[in-house]
mmCIF file of all heavy atoms in Angstrom:
data_model
loop_
_atom_site.group_PDB
_atom_site.id
_atom_site.type_symbol
_atom_site.label_atom_id
_atom_site.label_comp_id
_atom_site.label_asym_id
_atom_site.label_seq_id
_atom_site.Cartn_x
_atom_site.Cartn_y
_atom_site.Cartn_z
ATOM 1 N N ARG A 5 4.273 -13.585 3.590
ATOM 2 C CA ARG A 5 5.450 -13.422 4.451
ATOM 3 C C ARG A 5 6.562 -14.385 4.058
ATOM 4 O O ARG A 5 7.711 -14.194 4.435
ATOM 5 C CB ARG A 5 5.070 -13.629 5.913
ATOM 6 C CG ARG A 5 4.201 -12.517 6.445
ATOM 7 C CD ARG A 5 3.833 -12.780 7.890
ATOM 8 N NE ARG A 5 2.879 -11.801 8.350
ATOM 9 C CZ ARG A 5 3.162 -10.906 9.278
ATOM 10 N NH1 ARG A 5 4.334 -10.887 9.842
ATOM 11 N NH2 ARG A 5 2.239 -10.044 9.640
ATOM 12 N N ASP A 6 6.219 -15.435 3.330
ATOM 13 C CA ASP A 6 7.232 -16.403 2.885
ATOM 14 C C ASP A 6 8.309 -15.723 2.045
ATOM 15 O O ASP A 6 9.480 -16.085 2.117
ATOM 16 C CB ASP A 6 6.595 -17.528 2.068
ATOM 17 C CG ASP A 6 5.668 -18.391 2.910
ATOM 18 O OD1 ASP A 6 5.779 -18.342 4.156
ATOM 19 O OD2 ASP A 6 4.835 -19.095 2.322
ATOM 20 N N LEU A 7 7.915 -14.749 1.246
ATOM 21 C CA LEU A 7 8.877 -14.054 0.387
ATOM 22 C C LEU A 7 9.892 -13.265 1.197
ATOM 23 O O LEU A 7 10.993 -12.990 0.729
ATOM 24 C CB LEU A 7 8.149 -13.115 -0.572
ATOM 25 C CG LEU A 7 7.266 -13.780 -1.616
ATOM 26 C CD1 LEU A 7 6.483 -12.731 -2.389
ATOM 27 C CD2 LEU A 7 8.097 -14.619 -2.560
ATOM 28 N N LEU A 8 9.533 -12.902 2.415
ATOM 29 C CA LEU A 8 10.430 -12.084 3.223
ATOM 30 C C LEU A 8 11.500 -12.914 3.928
ATOM 31 O O LEU A 8 12.341 -12.379 4.620
ATOM 32 C CB LEU A 8 9.629 -11.274 4.238
ATOM 33 C CG LEU A 8 8.658 -10.272 3.622
ATOM 34 C CD1 LEU A 8 7.905 -9.532 4.708
ATOM 35 C CD2 LEU A 8 9.389 -9.296 2.722
ATOM 36 N N GLY A 9 11.492 -14.224 3.722
ATOM 37 C CA GLY A 9 12.508 -15.078 4.306
ATOM 38 C C GLY A 9 13.771 -15.126 3.463
ATOM 39 O O GLY A 9 14.578 -16.023 3.617
ATOM 40 N N THR A 10 13.930 -14.170 2.580
ATOM 41 C CA THR A 10 15.074 -14.150 1.679
ATOM 42 C C THR A 10 16.192 -13.305 2.270
ATOM 43 O O THR A 10 16.056 -12.757 3.355
ATOM 44 C CB THR A 10 14.656 -13.578 0.315
ATOM 45 O OG1 THR A 10 14.181 -12.244 0.510
ATOM 46 C CG2 THR A 10 13.562 -14.404 -0.321
ATOM 47 N N LYS A 11 17.288 -13.182 1.529
ATOM 48 C CA LYS A 11 18.407 -12.360 1.977
ATOM 49 C C LYS A 11 17.987 -10.895 2.056
ATOM 50 O O LYS A 11 17.013 -10.482 1.431
ATOM 51 C CB LYS A 11 19.584 -12.515 1.025
ATOM 52 C CG LYS A 11 20.169 -13.898 1.076
ATOM 53 C CD LYS A 11 21.416 -13.991 0.247
ATOM 54 C CE LYS A 11 21.977 -15.388 0.400
ATOM 55 N NZ LYS A 11 23.262 -15.532 -0.220
ATOM 56 N N LEU A 12 18.729 -10.116 2.799
ATOM 57 C CA LEU A 12 18.391 -8.729 3.065
ATOM 58 C C LEU A 12 18.145 -7.918 1.798
ATOM 59 O O LEU A 12 17.157 -7.199 1.700
ATOM 60 C CB LEU A 12 19.488 -8.060 3.906
ATOM 61 C CG LEU A 12 19.242 -6.609 4.275
ATOM 62 C CD1 LEU A 12 17.989 -6.475 5.125
ATOM 63 C CD2 LEU A 12 20.432 -6.042 5.006
ATOM 64 N N GLU A 13 19.022 -8.051 0.808
ATOM 65 C CA GLU A 13 18.875 -7.254 -0.404
ATOM 66 C C GLU A 13 17.565 -7.577 -1.112
ATOM 67 O O GLU A 13 16.851 -6.689 -1.563
ATOM 68 C CB GLU A 13 20.047 -7.485 -1.367
ATOM 69 C CG GLU A 13 21.374 -7.012 -0.853
ATOM 70 C CD GLU A 13 22.086 -8.042 0.028
ATOM 71 O OE1 GLU A 13 21.576 -9.171 0.182
ATOM 72 O OE2 GLU A 13 23.142 -7.699 0.584
ATOM 73 N N ALA A 14 17.243 -8.852 -1.212
ATOM 74 C CA ALA A 14 15.999 -9.260 -1.859
ATOM 75 C C ALA A 14 14.799 -8.815 -1.032
ATOM 76 O O ALA A 14 13.785 -8.370 -1.581
ATOM 77 C CB ALA A 14 15.977 -10.771 -2.059
ATOM 78 N N LYS A 15 14.923 -8.903 0.283
ATOM 79 C CA LYS A 15 13.831 -8.480 1.170
ATOM 80 C C LYS A 15 13.539 -6.989 0.983
ATOM 81 O O LYS A 15 12.382 -6.571 0.938
ATOM 82 C CB LYS A 15 14.200 -8.766 2.619
ATOM 83 C CG LYS A 15 13.079 -8.466 3.600
ATOM 84 C CD LYS A 15 13.520 -8.653 5.041
ATOM 85 C CE LYS A 15 13.626 -10.090 5.372
ATOM 86 N NZ LYS A 15 13.804 -10.335 6.817
ATOM 87 N N GLU A 16 14.592 -6.194 0.852
ATOM 88 C CA GLU A 16 14.407 -4.755 0.658
ATOM 89 C C GLU A 16 13.663 -4.470 -0.639
ATOM 90 O O GLU A 16 12.796 -3.607 -0.684
ATOM 91 C CB GLU A 16 15.764 -4.047 0.659
ATOM 92 C CG GLU A 16 16.401 -3.977 2.017
ATOM 93 C CD GLU A 16 17.814 -3.426 1.985
ATOM 94 O OE1 GLU A 16 18.485 -3.518 0.928
ATOM 95 O OE2 GLU A 16 18.259 -2.908 3.016
ATOM 96 N N VAL A 17 14.002 -5.197 -1.702
ATOM 97 C CA VAL A 17 13.320 -4.999 -2.985
ATOM 98 C C VAL A 17 11.853 -5.413 -2.864
ATOM 99 O O VAL A 17 10.960 -4.713 -3.342
ATOM 100 C CB VAL A 17 14.033 -5.776 -4.120
ATOM 101 C CG1 VAL A 17 13.228 -5.724 -5.401
ATOM 102 C CG2 VAL A 17 15.420 -5.197 -4.345
ATOM 103 N N LEU A 18 11.601 -6.544 -2.212
ATOM 104 C CA LEU A 18 10.222 -7.005 -2.032
ATOM 105 C C LEU A 18 9.409 -6.016 -1.201
ATOM 106 O O LEU A 18 8.255 -5.720 -1.522
ATOM 107 C CB LEU A 18 10.199 -8.386 -1.378
ATOM 108 C CG LEU A 18 10.692 -9.525 -2.255
ATOM 109 C CD1 LEU A 18 10.917 -10.787 -1.425
ATOM 110 C CD2 LEU A 18 9.715 -9.803 -3.377
ATOM 111 N N LEU A 19 10.001 -5.506 -0.145
ATOM 112 C CA LEU A 19 9.294 -4.524 0.687
ATOM 113 C C LEU A 19 9.034 -3.237 -0.089
ATOM 114 O O LEU A 19 7.966 -2.628 0.045
ATOM 115 C CB LEU A 19 10.083 -4.238 1.960
ATOM 116 C CG LEU A 19 10.064 -5.369 2.988
ATOM 117 C CD1 LEU A 19 11.061 -5.097 4.103
ATOM 118 C CD2 LEU A 19 8.670 -5.566 3.546
ATOM 119 N N SER A 20 9.984 -2.827 -0.890
ATOM 120 C CA SER A 20 9.786 -1.643 -1.721
ATOM 121 C C SER A 20 8.612 -1.846 -2.680
ATOM 122 O O SER A 20 7.776 -0.967 -2.845
ATOM 123 C CB SER A 20 11.066 -1.332 -2.496
ATOM 124 O OG SER A 20 10.879 -0.226 -3.335
ATOM 125 N N ALA A 21 8.556 -3.037 -3.293
ATOM 126 C CA ALA A 21 7.447 -3.341 -4.207
ATOM 127 C C ALA A 21 6.122 -3.375 -3.458
ATOM 128 O O ALA A 21 5.104 -2.882 -3.958
ATOM 129 C CB ALA A 21 7.701 -4.673 -4.909
ATOM 130 N N ALA A 22 6.121 -3.932 -2.263
ATOM 131 C CA ALA A 22 4.890 -3.976 -1.465
ATOM 132 C C ALA A 22 4.442 -2.564 -1.101
ATOM 133 O O ALA A 22 3.252 -2.232 -1.210
ATOM 134 C CB ALA A 22 5.100 -4.811 -0.211
ATOM 135 N N LEU A 23 5.378 -1.710 -0.688
ATOM 136 C CA LEU A 23 5.021 -0.326 -0.356
ATOM 137 C C LEU A 23 4.495 0.417 -1.576
ATOM 138 O O LEU A 23 3.556 1.212 -1.474
ATOM 139 C CB LEU A 23 6.227 0.409 0.241
ATOM 140 C CG LEU A 23 6.612 -0.019 1.652
ATOM 141 C CD1 LEU A 23 7.946 0.613 2.042
ATOM 142 C CD2 LEU A 23 5.528 0.343 2.648
ATOM 143 N N GLN A 24 5.101 0.160 -2.732
ATOM 144 C CA GLN A 24 4.631 0.777 -3.967
ATOM 145 C C GLN A 24 3.194 0.338 -4.253
ATOM 146 O O GLN A 24 2.347 1.150 -4.640
ATOM 147 C CB GLN A 24 5.545 0.383 -5.116
ATOM 148 C CG GLN A 24 5.217 1.021 -6.433
ATOM 149 C CD GLN A 24 6.217 0.598 -7.516
ATOM 150 O OE1 GLN A 24 6.935 -0.388 -7.376
ATOM 151 N NE2 GLN A 24 6.249 1.355 -8.586
ATOM 152 N N THR A 25 2.906 -0.925 -4.041
ATOM 153 C CA THR A 25 1.556 -1.443 -4.254
ATOM 154 C C THR A 25 0.579 -0.822 -3.268
ATOM 155 O O THR A 25 -0.539 -0.450 -3.641
ATOM 156 C CB THR A 25 1.552 -2.983 -4.131
ATOM 157 O OG1 THR A 25 2.502 -3.513 -5.053
ATOM 158 C CG2 THR A 25 0.182 -3.556 -4.417
ATOM 159 N N TYR A 26 0.996 -0.693 -2.000
ATOM 160 C CA TYR A 26 0.140 -0.034 -1.014
ATOM 161 C C TYR A 26 -0.161 1.404 -1.421
ATOM 162 O O TYR A 26 -1.282 1.890 -1.271
ATOM 163 C CB TYR A 26 0.776 -0.057 0.376
ATOM 164 C CG TYR A 26 0.458 -1.303 1.143
ATOM 165 C CD1 TYR A 26 1.444 -2.231 1.426
ATOM 166 C CD2 TYR A 26 -0.828 -1.565 1.593
ATOM 167 C CE1 TYR A 26 1.163 -3.378 2.123
ATOM 168 C CE2 TYR A 26 -1.120 -2.705 2.291
ATOM 169 C CZ TYR A 26 -0.127 -3.612 2.563
ATOM 170 O OH TYR A 26 -0.409 -4.752 3.259
ATOM 171 N N GLU A 27 0.842 2.076 -1.929
ATOM 172 C CA GLU A 27 0.639 3.453 -2.369
ATOM 173 C C GLU A 27 -0.435 3.509 -3.453
ATOM 174 O O GLU A 27 -1.349 4.343 -3.407
ATOM 175 C CB GLU A 27 1.959 4.026 -2.881
ATOM 176 C CG GLU A 27 1.908 5.505 -3.156
ATOM 177 C CD GLU A 27 3.274 6.074 -3.514
ATOM 178 O OE1 GLU A 27 4.306 5.501 -3.120
ATOM 179 O OE2 GLU A 27 3.287 7.106 -4.204
ATOM 180 N N GLU A 28 -0.347 2.597 -4.424
ATOM 181 C CA GLU A 28 -1.341 2.556 -5.501
ATOM 182 C C GLU A 28 -2.722 2.189 -4.964
ATOM 183 O O GLU A 28 -3.734 2.772 -5.383
ATOM 184 C CB GLU A 28 -0.906 1.559 -6.569
ATOM 185 C CG GLU A 28 0.332 1.997 -7.324
ATOM 186 C CD GLU A 28 0.903 0.910 -8.231
ATOM 187 O OE1 GLU A 28 0.190 -0.092 -8.505
ATOM 188 O OE2 GLU A 28 2.051 1.052 -8.659
ATOM 189 N N LEU A 29 -2.777 1.218 -4.049
ATOM 190 C CA LEU A 29 -4.058 0.808 -3.465
ATOM 191 C C LEU A 29 -4.739 1.965 -2.730
ATOM 192 O O LEU A 29 -5.936 2.215 -2.909
ATOM 193 C CB LEU A 29 -3.857 -0.352 -2.480
ATOM 194 C CG LEU A 29 -3.575 -1.723 -3.056
ATOM 195 C CD1 LEU A 29 -3.102 -2.670 -1.963
ATOM 196 C CD2 LEU A 29 -4.824 -2.275 -3.712
ATOM 197 N N ILE A 30 -3.967 2.649 -1.908
ATOM 198 C CA ILE A 30 -4.540 3.743 -1.108
ATOM 199 C C ILE A 30 -4.948 4.903 -2.009
ATOM 200 O O ILE A 30 -5.995 5.525 -1.791
ATOM 201 C CB ILE A 30 -3.555 4.179 -0.009
ATOM 202 C CG1 ILE A 30 -3.338 3.017 0.970
ATOM 203 C CG2 ILE A 30 -4.067 5.408 0.731
ATOM 204 C CD1 ILE A 30 -2.173 3.210 1.912
ATOM 205 N N GLN A 31 -4.153 5.198 -3.036
ATOM 206 C CA GLN A 31 -4.542 6.248 -3.979
ATOM 207 C C GLN A 31 -5.854 5.899 -4.664
ATOM 208 O O GLN A 31 -6.726 6.755 -4.832
ATOM 209 C CB GLN A 31 -3.442 6.474 -5.013
ATOM 210 C CG GLN A 31 -2.251 7.202 -4.456
ATOM 211 C CD GLN A 31 -1.084 7.265 -5.426
ATOM 212 O OE1 GLN A 31 -0.974 6.477 -6.370
ATOM 213 N NE2 GLN A 31 -0.181 8.212 -5.179
ATOM 214 N N ARG A 32 -6.014 4.636 -5.039
ATOM 215 C CA ARG A 32 -7.260 4.188 -5.669
ATOM 216 C C ARG A 32 -8.419 4.294 -4.688
ATOM 217 O O ARG A 32 -9.515 4.698 -5.041
ATOM 218 C CB ARG A 32 -7.086 2.744 -6.159
ATOM 219 C CG ARG A 32 -8.306 2.073 -6.728
ATOM 220 C CD ARG A 32 -8.660 2.479 -8.160
ATOM 221 N NE ARG A 32 -7.584 2.429 -9.095
ATOM 222 C CZ ARG A 32 -7.316 1.428 -9.922
ATOM 223 N NH1 ARG A 32 -8.044 0.341 -9.902
ATOM 224 N NH2 ARG A 32 -6.318 1.521 -10.770
ATOM 225 N N MET A 33 -8.177 3.922 -3.431
ATOM 226 C CA MET A 33 -9.226 4.016 -2.405
ATOM 227 C C MET A 33 -9.664 5.462 -2.227
ATOM 228 O O MET A 33 -10.858 5.751 -2.111
ATOM 229 C CB MET A 33 -8.737 3.431 -1.083
ATOM 230 C CG MET A 33 -8.525 1.928 -1.131
ATOM 231 S SD MET A 33 -7.595 1.299 0.286
ATOM 232 C CE MET A 33 -8.880 1.262 1.521
ATOM 233 N N LEU A 34 -8.706 6.378 -2.205
ATOM 234 C CA LEU A 34 -9.039 7.801 -2.081
ATOM 235 C C LEU A 34 -9.841 8.290 -3.283
ATOM 236 O O LEU A 34 -10.813 9.029 -3.138
ATOM 237 C CB LEU A 34 -7.756 8.638 -1.947
ATOM 238 C CG LEU A 34 -7.203 8.790 -0.551
ATOM 239 C CD1 LEU A 34 -5.785 9.345 -0.606
ATOM 240 C CD2 LEU A 34 -8.097 9.658 0.299
ATOM 241 N N LYS A 35 -9.409 7.862 -4.461
ATOM 242 C CA LYS A 35 -10.067 8.277 -5.700
ATOM 243 C C LYS A 35 -11.510 7.766 -5.764
ATOM 244 O O LYS A 35 -12.407 8.476 -6.220
ATOM 245 C CB LYS A 35 -9.265 7.743 -6.892
ATOM 246 C CG LYS A 35 -9.717 8.231 -8.232
ATOM 247 C CD LYS A 35 -8.788 7.670 -9.306
ATOM 248 C CE LYS A 35 -9.191 8.130 -10.679
ATOM 249 N NZ LYS A 35 -8.302 7.557 -11.705
ATOM 250 N N GLU A 36 -11.725 6.545 -5.295
ATOM 251 C CA GLU A 36 -13.039 5.932 -5.377
ATOM 252 C C GLU A 36 -13.916 6.196 -4.163
ATOM 253 O O GLU A 36 -15.045 5.725 -4.107
ATOM 254 C CB GLU A 36 -12.892 4.419 -5.594
ATOM 255 C CG GLU A 36 -12.271 4.098 -6.932
ATOM 256 C CD GLU A 36 -12.025 2.609 -7.131
ATOM 257 O OE1 GLU A 36 -12.277 1.813 -6.188
ATOM 258 O OE2 GLU A 36 -11.573 2.246 -8.232
ATOM 259 N N LEU A 37 -13.409 6.941 -3.210
ATOM 260 C CA LEU A 37 -14.186 7.257 -2.008
ATOM 261 C C LEU A 37 -15.330 8.185 -2.383
ATOM 262 O O LEU A 37 -15.091 9.254 -2.952
ATOM 263 C CB LEU A 37 -13.268 7.917 -0.977
ATOM 264 C CG LEU A 37 -13.773 8.023 0.441
ATOM 265 C CD1 LEU A 37 -13.944 6.634 1.045
ATOM 266 C CD2 LEU A 37 -12.797 8.820 1.284
ATOM 267 N N PRO A 38 -16.564 7.765 -2.111
ATOM 268 C CA PRO A 38 -17.699 8.636 -2.460
ATOM 269 C C PRO A 38 -17.610 9.974 -1.736
ATOM 270 O O PRO A 38 -17.078 10.054 -0.623
ATOM 271 C CB PRO A 38 -18.920 7.846 -1.985
ATOM 272 C CG PRO A 38 -18.448 6.450 -1.783
ATOM 273 C CD PRO A 38 -16.986 6.528 -1.500
ATOM 274 N N GLY A 39 -18.119 10.989 -2.365
ATOM 275 C CA GLY A 39 -18.066 12.331 -1.798
ATOM 276 C C GLY A 39 -18.813 12.453 -0.496
ATOM 277 O O GLY A 39 -18.495 13.288 0.340
ATOM 278 N N ASP A 40 -19.818 11.574 -0.289
ATOM 279 C CA ASP A 40 -20.609 11.669 0.941
ATOM 280 C C ASP A 40 -19.994 10.876 2.091
ATOM 281 O O ASP A 40 -20.534 10.857 3.181
ATOM 282 C CB ASP A 40 -22.048 11.205 0.686
ATOM 283 C CG ASP A 40 -22.104 9.777 0.206
ATOM 284 O OD1 ASP A 40 -21.073 9.253 -0.221
ATOM 285 O OD2 ASP A 40 -23.207 9.182 0.274
ATOM 286 N N GLU A 41 -18.870 10.202 1.843
ATOM 287 C CA GLU A 41 -18.193 9.478 2.927
ATOM 288 C C GLU A 41 -17.649 10.489 3.936
ATOM 289 O O GLU A 41 -17.407 11.651 3.617
ATOM 290 C CB GLU A 41 -17.032 8.643 2.378
ATOM 291 C CG GLU A 41 -17.456 7.427 1.624
ATOM 292 C CD GLU A 41 -17.974 6.310 2.527
ATOM 293 O OE1 GLU A 41 -17.633 6.272 3.720
ATOM 294 O OE2 GLU A 41 -18.729 5.480 2.010
ATOM 295 N N SER A 42 -17.403 10.010 5.132
ATOM 296 C CA SER A 42 -16.940 10.920 6.181
ATOM 297 C C SER A 42 -15.568 11.494 5.846
ATOM 298 O O SER A 42 -14.730 10.834 5.229
ATOM 299 C CB SER A 42 -16.900 10.195 7.530
ATOM 300 O OG SER A 42 -15.805 9.329 7.583
ATOM 301 N N ALA A 43 -15.363 12.692 6.277
ATOM 302 C CA ALA A 43 -14.078 13.364 6.078
ATOM 303 C C ALA A 43 -12.980 12.651 6.862
ATOM 304 O O ALA A 43 -11.807 12.698 6.484
ATOM 305 C CB ALA A 43 -14.180 14.827 6.500
ATOM 306 N N ASP A 44 -13.371 11.964 7.942
ATOM 307 C CA ASP A 44 -12.386 11.246 8.755
ATOM 308 C C ASP A 44 -11.726 10.130 7.966
ATOM 309 O O ASP A 44 -10.518 9.920 8.060
ATOM 310 C CB ASP A 44 -13.052 10.652 10.002
ATOM 311 C CG ASP A 44 -13.476 11.726 11.000
ATOM 312 O OD1 ASP A 44 -12.973 12.863 10.886
ATOM 313 O OD2 ASP A 44 -14.290 11.406 11.879
ATOM 314 N N VAL A 45 -12.516 9.408 7.165
ATOM 315 C CA VAL A 45 -11.968 8.312 6.375
ATOM 316 C C VAL A 45 -10.985 8.862 5.347
ATOM 317 O O VAL A 45 -9.888 8.335 5.171
ATOM 318 C CB VAL A 45 -13.089 7.496 5.688
ATOM 319 C CG1 VAL A 45 -12.517 6.483 4.716
ATOM 320 C CG2 VAL A 45 -13.959 6.820 6.724
ATOM 321 N N ARG A 46 -11.353 9.954 4.690
ATOM 322 C CA ARG A 46 -10.464 10.574 3.710
ATOM 323 C C ARG A 46 -9.172 11.051 4.388
ATOM 324 O O ARG A 46 -8.077 10.852 3.866
ATOM 325 C CB ARG A 46 -11.171 11.739 3.016
ATOM 326 C CG ARG A 46 -10.339 12.377 1.908
ATOM 327 C CD ARG A 46 -11.121 13.397 1.096
ATOM 328 N NE ARG A 46 -12.259 12.815 0.415
ATOM 329 C CZ ARG A 46 -12.183 12.096 -0.718
ATOM 330 N NH1 ARG A 46 -11.013 11.892 -1.276
ATOM 331 N NH2 ARG A 46 -13.268 11.604 -1.268
ATOM 332 N N ALA A 47 -9.307 11.658 5.549
ATOM 333 C CA ALA A 47 -8.129 12.137 6.277
ATOM 334 C C ALA A 47 -7.244 10.972 6.704
ATOM 335 O O ALA A 47 -6.014 11.050 6.601
ATOM 336 C CB ALA A 47 -8.560 12.959 7.490
ATOM 337 N N ASP A 48 -7.861 9.886 7.169
ATOM 338 C CA ASP A 48 -7.086 8.711 7.579
ATOM 339 C C ASP A 48 -6.345 8.099 6.395
ATOM 340 O O ASP A 48 -5.166 7.754 6.493
ATOM 341 C CB ASP A 48 -8.001 7.660 8.223
ATOM 342 C CG ASP A 48 -8.440 8.047 9.632
ATOM 343 O OD1 ASP A 48 -7.887 9.015 10.187
ATOM 344 O OD2 ASP A 48 -9.327 7.356 10.170
#
């Protein structure tokens, strides 16, 4: 959260990078989710 104490323009870039990272993380989680895991987890 320390990085978010910057000016608005820099904060927007940092948040964009964080969201991009979350997108990659969640895609990897979906990809690595075993087939026998609950459908609820995949849907979530």
Side-chain angles (χ1 to χ4, degrees):
R5 291 179 187 247
D6 294 342
L7 294 173
L8 297 179
T10 60
K11 293 186 177 187
L12 181 62
E13 294 85 4
K15 185 185 286 191
E16 288 173 336
V17 172
L18 290 168
L19 287 170
S20 178
L23 288 171
Q24 184 178 18
T25 304
Y26 273 112
E27 189 174 335
E28 292 171 15
L29 286 167
I30 296 167
Q31 286 172 339
R32 175 78 50 97
M33 292 167 79
L34 274 167
K35 187 177 180 181
E36 294 176 356
L37 194 65
D40 60 343
E41 287 286 337
S42 75
D44 290 343
V45 172
R46 184 172 298 282
D48 286 349

